[in-house]
């Protein structure tokens, strides 16, 4: 990395606002250029550039990051459909962004999700076939015998899978008994069934984007927050920082501050809904009504199960479990199941959502899509507020996620202060279809735990305080009561500067020359994935688009 806050250069070809997962990857690729003349590239990052912290480096210490300033906790507005609770959203506050503070999940999603993007945009460059080279380019796949047509083996991000936990075979057999097919590779575009869980830890160490990608030709400016993008005559010419410094971009500015902050930067630059900008005293320069809209995330819920024989060291927390060095190489999980819901039930739910769900979106969702995910976790993790269960080897968790949320929320601004958090109202769990999918996923998870294989392992569910235990036979009302009190998110927010609405299909901000966006805010619709791998692929796609246009 070309250093940093003492650098006196103020003009570059490209300025990337936000040194997060996508921002660092994109800056690295841009700095190489097209092989002839390498352009000058700067990354401007709000957080620090230091990774010297065990909580960042080690998988089993990730949960401790909340006690540091390396994460930014964003509290939502009270959520009407979750009992008025404020749900914490997490963003990275360090160079590499979320890739420096996440749990390292490495999932691509269903090929049909990308094909749906291409249909929405009318641009085949975003379908799975054309995104596959970008997905492969990021990846150094852990299985050298895997199909080279489906996986990359020379990318910067090494993946890992399978650590041989004691419950490996019982969990796998339970998923099969519950009706999930065996899927040896859930990252080949077809995630259905029970597949090995993949992560991107390397030898038990995190791979933040700014370390994984070559940043040696990039000027990195940390501890520096951008106030606004500078616009002259409808063209982005640079950026202004909160301390008054200005940096000029000869070619393009690319905003990559993430789903929460990217719309904030655009709005403070005068790009957004005209009425909203005027309310906070920002002069509207480009009336872009969808900036900050279309927010979505995967609503999820964790259920905790008490082990019959914790002395067998089956879960995280016992001395013997923690002394096994192999178990420190990643997170305590190794199977993920992905499924589809019955079409009749989903269609009935969507028919009740017709006022809030676009007809084209509803039509896509009733196809054979990856509607939900279930993960078995060998610890009481991912369970949200209200549980106080010690990580002492006595419990495991099933996490159920709705992969196809139709609830839509928004990011707005309370004022024109760039240092204040935006106002976040995700509108979680608002639609009948989201409830239908989440409830179905919960029932399938409980069916897995009710198999003979798992009944030998667990005594039963340990419910939250003052709530009854659930089973696969529980009513929708009982499942909804649990979700309202304890559903949460696994921090997969997206969509707030969506292609087709705020951006064109080349990630260019509509109505502005020389300005693009590159992060999860560009998603036009959800993907059935944990978003790290797709966001890296988007950065790879962005580099193709930008270098190709240079």
């Amino acid at each position: 990395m070309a250093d940093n806050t003492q650098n006196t250069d103020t003009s570059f070809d490209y300025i990337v606002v936000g040194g997060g997962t996508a921002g660092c990857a994109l800056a690295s690729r841009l700095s190489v250029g097209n092989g002839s003349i390498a352009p000058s590239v700067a990354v401007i990052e709000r957080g620090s550039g230091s990774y010297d912290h065990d909580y960042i480096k080690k998988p089993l210490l990730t949960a401790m990051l909340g006690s540091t300033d390396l994460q930014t906790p964003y509290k939502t507005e009270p959520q009407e459909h979750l009992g008025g609770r404020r749900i914490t959203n997490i963003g990275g506050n360090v160079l590499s962004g979320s890739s420096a503070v996440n749990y390292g999940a490495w999932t691509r999603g269903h090929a049909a999700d990308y094909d749906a993007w291409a249909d929405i945009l009318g641009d085949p460059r975003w379908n799975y076939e054309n995104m596959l080279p970008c997905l492969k380019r990021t990846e150094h796949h852990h299985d050298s015998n895997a199909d080279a047509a489906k996986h990359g083996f020379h990318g910067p991000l090494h993946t890992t899978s399978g650590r041989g936990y004691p419950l490996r075979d019982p969990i796998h057999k339970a998923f099969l008994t519950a009706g999930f097919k065996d899927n040896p590779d859930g990252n080949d575009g077809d995630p259905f069934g029970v597949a090995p869980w993949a992560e991107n830890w390397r030898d038990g160490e995190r791979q933040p984007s700014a370390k994984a990608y070559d940043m040696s030709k990039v000027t990195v400016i940390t501890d520096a927050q951008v106030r606004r993008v500078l616009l002259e005559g409808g063209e982005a010419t640079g950026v202004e920082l909160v301390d008054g410094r200005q940096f000029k971009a000869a070619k393009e500015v690319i905003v990559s501050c993430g789903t929460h902050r990217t719309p904030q930067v655009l709005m403070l630059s005068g790009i957004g809904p005209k009425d909203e900008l005027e309310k906070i005293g920002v002069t509207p320069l480009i009336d872009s009504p969808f900036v900050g809209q279309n927010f979505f995330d995967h609503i999820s819920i964790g259920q905790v199960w008490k082990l019959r024989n914790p002395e067998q060291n089956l879960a995280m927390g016992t001395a013997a479990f923690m002394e096994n060095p192999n178990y420190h190489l990643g997170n305590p999980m190794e199977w993920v199941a992905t499924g589809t819901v019955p079409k009749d039930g989903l269609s009935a739910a969507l028919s009740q959502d017709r006022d809030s769900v676009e007809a084209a979106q509803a039509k896509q969702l009733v196809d054979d899509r990856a509607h939900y995910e279930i993960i078995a976790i060998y610890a009481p993790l991912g369970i949200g507020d209200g549980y106080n269960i010690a990580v002492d080897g006595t419990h495991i968790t099933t996490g159920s996620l709705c992969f196809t949320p139709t609830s839509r929320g928004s990011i707005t601004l309370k004022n024109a202060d760039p240092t204040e958090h935006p106002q976040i109202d995700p509108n979680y769990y608002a639609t009948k279809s989201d409830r239908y999918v989440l409830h179905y996923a919960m029932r399938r998870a409980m069916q897995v735990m009710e198999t003979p294989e798992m009944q030998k392992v667990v005594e039963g569910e340990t419910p939250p305080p003052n709530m009854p235990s659930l089973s696969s036979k529980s009513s929708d009302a009982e499942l909804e009561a649990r979700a309202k009190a304890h559903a949460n998110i696994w921090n997969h927010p997206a969509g707030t500067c969506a292609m087709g609405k705020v951006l064109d299909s080349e990630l260019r901000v509509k109505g502005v020359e020389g300005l693009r966006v590159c992060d999860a805010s560009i998603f036009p619709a959800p993907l059935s994935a944990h978003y790290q791998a797709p966001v890296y692929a988007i950065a790879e796609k962005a580099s193709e688009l930008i270098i190709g246009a240079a």
Side-chain angles (χ1 to χ4, degrees):
M1 273 180 296
D3 189 47
N4 192 327
T5 53
Q6 303 304 314
N7 192 293
T8 58
D9 291 341
T10 59
S11 296
F12 303 89
D13 292 318
Y14 298 102
I15 293 176
V16 179
V17 181
T21 305
C24 290
L26 174 60
S28 171
R29 296 306 195 198
L30 290 179
S31 71
V32 177
N34 60 12
S36 53
I37 299 175
S40 58
V41 181
V43 164
I44 302 176
E45 165 56 34
R46 180 172 62 103
S48 76
S50 175
Y51 300 110
D52 190 22
H53 202 301
D54 280 346
Y55 293 175
I56 284 181
K57 296 175 184 177
K58 301 298 182 183
L60 297 187
L61 297 179
T62 300
M64 303 300 293
L65 281 164
S67 63
T68 74
D69 61 0
L70 299 168
Q71 290 182 342
T72 299
Y74 299 100
K75 284 287 187 182
T76 70
E77 296 301 295
Q79 293 300 286
E80 176 184 353
H81 306 286
L82 295 180
R85 291 183 291 133
R86 294 179 182 267
I87 306 300
T88 301
N89 283 220
I90 297 296
N93 188 35
V94 63
L95 187 66
S96 298
S98 295
S99 71
V101 300
N102 65 20
Y103 281 85
W106 193 261
T107 65
R108 291 179 180 176
H110 188 199
D113 299 340
Y114 298 89
D115 294 344
W117 280 16
D119 289 343
I120 291 168
L121 301 171
D123 189 338
R125 287 178 295 185
W126 292 95
N127 67 24
Y128 187 75
E129 180 182 358
N130 290 315
M131 284 297 290
L132 182 58
C134 299
L135 290 161
K136 290 169 60 178
R137 199 176 303 138
T138 69
E139 180 183 62
H140 190 118
H141 191 56
H142 55 274
D143 182 1
S144 60
N145 295 316
D147 188 346
K150 297 177 179 179
H151 288 286
F153 300 94
H154 305 289
L157 291 151
H158 292 242
T159 65
T160 183
S161 182
R163 286 174 285 280
Y165 294 99
L167 288 177
R168 178 180 178 84
D169 289 341
I171 291 282
H172 185 234
K173 290 175 182 176
F175 275 113
L176 298 178
T177 298
F180 291 93
K181 72 174 184 180
D182 189 37
N183 184 347
D185 183 0
N187 272 332
D188 64 357
D190 175 8
F192 293 108
V194 56
W197 176 250
E199 299 172 327
N200 73 324
W201 303 93
R202 183 180 184 184
D203 299 326
E205 294 273 340
R206 184 185 294 277
Q207 302 170 87
S209 59
K211 281 193 167 185
Y213 278 79
D214 180 7
M215 299 284 282
S216 61
K217 298 178 181 179
V218 178
T219 296
V220 178
I221 303 165
T222 57
D223 301 293
Q225 184 166 359
V226 168
R227 176 185 296 278
R228 64 189 176 111
V229 176
L230 300 172
L231 301 179
E232 296 179 14
E235 180 179 1
T237 59
V239 299
E240 180 181 79
L241 274 56
V242 295
D243 62 12
R245 285 182 291 168
Q246 292 189 356
F247 295 86
K248 295 295 184 177
K251 293 184 177 180
E252 294 193 26
V253 175
I254 304 102
V255 182
S256 187
C257 296
T259 296
H260 304 109
R261 291 281 186 176
T262 286
Q264 181 183 35
V265 170
L266 293 187
M267 286 188 274
L268 293 180
S269 306
I271 304 165
K274 180 175 181 291
D275 292 346
E276 291 294 322
L277 298 184
E278 290 175 339
K279 284 180 186 176
I280 61 170
V282 173
T283 301
L285 300 177
I286 302 293
D287 184 14
S288 185
F290 294 106
V291 172
Q293 303 301 304
N294 194 49
F295 184 108
F296 51 80
D297 200 342
H298 297 142
I299 191 71
S300 65
I301 193 163
Q303 294 178 261
V304 184
W305 307 87
K306 183 174 176 56
L307 293 169
R308 291 185 183 277
N309 302 111
E311 73 281 359
Q312 295 177 358
N313 303 307
L314 304 176
M316 182 176 165
T318 67
F321 190 98
M322 301 306 292
E323 288 168 2
N324 189 320
N326 202 38
Y327 299 166
H328 288 258
L329 299 179
N331 287 297
M333 55 191 80
E334 56 193 336
W335 297 111
V336 56
T338 305
T340 189
V341 301
K343 291 183 180 181
D344 290 348
L346 181 58
S347 295
L350 286 166
S351 70
Q352 298 180 66
D353 293 332
R354 64 172 63 94
D355 293 337
S356 58
V357 180
E358 296 176 4
Q361 180 190 14
K363 184 177 183 299
Q364 287 181 331
L365 291 182
V366 295
D367 293 335
D368 291 329
R369 297 288 291 277
H371 293 117
Y372 68 90
E373 173 186 83
I374 302 168
I375 306 175
I377 308 169
Y378 308 137
L381 300 177
I383 53 180
D385 300 330
Y387 277 97
N388 291 299
I389 297 177
V391 182
D392 60 4
T394 60
H395 288 80
I396 62 173
T397 304
T398 53
S400 304
L401 285 78
C402 169
F403 264 157
T404 51
T406 55
S407 300
R408 294 292 183 268
S410 64
I411 300 281
T412 54
L413 303 186
K414 302 171 188 174
N415 54 49
D417 184 350
T419 66
E420 283 206 17
H421 292 179
Q423 188 165 286
I424 303 169
D425 186 4
N427 195 31
Y428 298 128
Y429 198 56
T431 60
K432 293 288 187 182
S433 47
D434 283 6
R435 295 173 201 173
Y436 178 77
V437 173
L438 184 62
H439 297 176
Y440 189 87
M442 292 171 69
R443 286 196 174 94
R444 292 294 282 135
M446 289 185 282
Q447 287 170 1
V448 171
M449 302 307 289
E450 291 163 1
T451 60
E453 291 85 357
M454 290 312 296
Q455 285 298 293
K456 295 175 184 176
V457 173
V458 299
E459 291 182 6
E461 188 194 19
T462 298
N466 304 313
M467 298 204 83
S469 297
L470 297 176
S471 76
S472 63
K473 304 297 184 184
S474 294
S475 67
D476 280 332
E478 290 171 311
L479 300 186
E480 185 169 334
R482 175 71 69 86
K484 281 186 174 182
H486 296 284
N488 213 304
I489 45 101
W490 284 15
N491 291 293
H492 308 153
T496 52
C497 293
M499 287 190 291
K501 294 183 180 291
V502 177
L503 315 175
D504 67 14
S505 63
E506 294 196 357
L507 306 179
R508 297 174 296 201
V509 176
K510 293 182 179 181
V512 185
E513 294 293 322
L515 182 60
R516 302 193 204 223
V517 172
C518 180
D519 54 38
S521 73
I522 70 104
F523 285 26
L527 297 176
S528 54
H530 299 241
Y531 286 161
Q532 179 175 221
V535 166
Y536 277 121
I538 287 167
E540 297 283 356
K541 176 66 75 175
S543 70
E544 290 178 1
L545 297 171
I546 294 169
I547 292 171

